[in-house]
Amino acid sequence: MEEWRLIRSPFLDGHFNMAVDEALLLSTLRNQTPPVLRLYGWEPPCLSLGFSQSVADINKTALLKNGWNYVRRPTGGKAILHIDEITYSVCAPVDSPAVKGNLLESYRQLSKGLLAALEILGVRATADKEYETKQTGHNHPVCFEVPSNYEITVAGKKLIGSAQSRKYGGVLQHGALPLSGDIARINDVLSYPNEEIRKEARQRIYLHATTLQEVIGRIIPWNEVAEACISGFENALGIRLIDSSITNEELALAQDLLHSKYEAPEWNDK
């Protein structure tokens, strides 16, 4: 049984969250330490952009008015508003059994842990490959509008959005599970040509995405969801998660990445 590190992080600023994820990936590979499952939240709420997404998709005035910030992720995909959610990240060498193979194969493997976590919470979800051929003809800026391969859906609505990056000989995958609140409020801080198009975008999200509260009918505490994620990953992936914490070396590396990359306009405002 492969042993992984388990890190339960406090809620952190969005820039630092992304710096920590990359620092953990680098540390795992440089020091040849076990893969890492990290569970965390965001404070204040933060809008994250996919690696190649234009910053022009953001309405910065509306974002600042809400007291939220934004950051560019090292992974692909579209915009996510990180609020009232639990976020997971996995850092592992490319030859680790849970992520071995190509991108889709590793997505499929990790999705088993997410599905098992949801089953513990009483949710019967699916992770399908059928979405790879679906083309809507629109360049939607919101991650949760359209499911991707092996992302988690319930009754056809996206519940967990994930993205992956492969670099340095390792895999970083992170994803968001919205727990409660208005799934479409992200549209309030994105740029649209007019309010009618913004309204249409909100309706699309209501049709294609959901929250854990909507599925179950009640709000489940963050810690309870975290425990389900831990058990789900252990049971489905055949791993043992060992409680750990960010080392001083990893913290120093994250601070360097924070200042040189994730807080820099050159990174965030592309």
Side-chain angles (χ1 to χ4, degrees):
M1 181 176 291
E2 187 180 23
E3 290 189 350
W4 285 28
R5 296 169 65 195
L6 169 66
I7 297 178
R8 312 171 202 236
S9 289
F11 283 32
L12 299 172
D13 169 86
H15 303 100
F16 198 49
N17 268 329
M18 293 299 93
V20 169
D21 274 350
E22 185 166 345
L24 288 172
L25 176 62
L26 287 167
S27 175
T28 299
L29 301 173
R30 290 176 182 175
N31 300 319
Q32 297 185 325
T33 55
V36 181
L37 172 65
R38 176 176 173 239
L39 302 173
Y40 60 96
W42 306 65
E43 184 58 45
C46 181
L47 182 78
S48 72
L49 295 173
F51 175 77
S52 300
Q53 188 172 8
S54 172
V55 72
D57 285 342
I58 299 176
N59 183 330
K60 292 184 180 180
T61 301
L63 196 70
L64 293 173
K65 184 177 180 181
N66 281 285
W68 303 339
N69 55 23
Y70 68 97
V71 66
R72 184 175 301 279
R73 301 189 304 271
T75 54
K78 295 295 186 178
I80 299 176
L81 179 60
H82 301 281
I83 182 172
D84 301 326
E85 72 169 38
I86 187 169
T87 310
Y88 79 91
S89 67
V90 168
C91 300
V94 291
D95 58 355
S96 176
V99 299
K100 194 173 181 179
N102 62 32
L103 186 145
L104 287 183
E105 288 169 340
S106 61
Y107 260 137
R108 182 178 67 248
Q109 279 294 105
L110 293 176
S111 72
K112 294 178 182 178
L114 299 170
L115 290 171
L118 290 173
E119 188 169 357
I120 291 170
L121 295 170
V123 176
R124 296 297 299 272
T126 58
D128 299 318
K129 190 182 176 182
E130 63 181 277
Y131 301 106
E132 67 176 342
T133 58
K134 288 189 175 181
Q135 299 293 330
T136 63
H138 299 284
N139 184 24
H140 300 315
V142 182
C143 170
F144 277 82
E145 283 189 52
V146 182
S148 299
N149 293 308
Y150 297 117
E151 288 192 309
I152 310 300
T153 61
V154 177
K157 291 188 175 185
K158 188 170 179 175
L159 180 59
I160 302 179
S162 299
Q164 188 179 116
S165 173
R166 294 183 165 216
K167 57 173 62 176
Y168 317 124
V171 171
L172 166 62
Q173 179 169 313
H174 47 204
L177 168 57
L179 301 181
S180 60
D182 182 359
I183 192 68
R185 61 190 141 174
I186 185 174
N187 286 290
D188 297 337
V189 294
L190 296 177
S191 295
Y192 292 96
N194 56 59
E195 290 306 310
E196 183 60 30
I197 293 177
R198 186 188 307 278
K199 181 179 179 181
E200 292 172 359
R202 291 182 66 91
Q203 292 305 313
R204 283 198 304 272
I205 293 180
Y206 289 138
L207 288 173
H208 298 136
T210 189
T211 68
L212 190 61
Q213 180 186 9
E214 287 183 344
V215 172
I216 294 182
R218 63 184 179 90
I219 295 178
I220 298 182
W222 193 95
N223 286 336
E224 183 177 339
V225 180
E227 291 302 319
C229 290
I230 294 166
S231 296
F233 270 78
E234 286 187 323
N235 296 337
L237 302 183
I239 61 175
R240 178 180 297 166
L241 290 166
I242 307 298
D243 275 302
S244 180
S245 57
I246 299 172
T247 67
N248 290 335
E249 179 186 1
E250 290 164 346
L251 185 59
L253 181 54
Q255 291 284 2
D256 287 343
L257 286 165
L258 174 68
H259 300 310
S260 65
K261 184 174 183 177
Y262 289 105
E263 285 185 333
E266 294 81 6
W267 171 259
N268 289 312
D269 292 339
K270 294 186 290 184

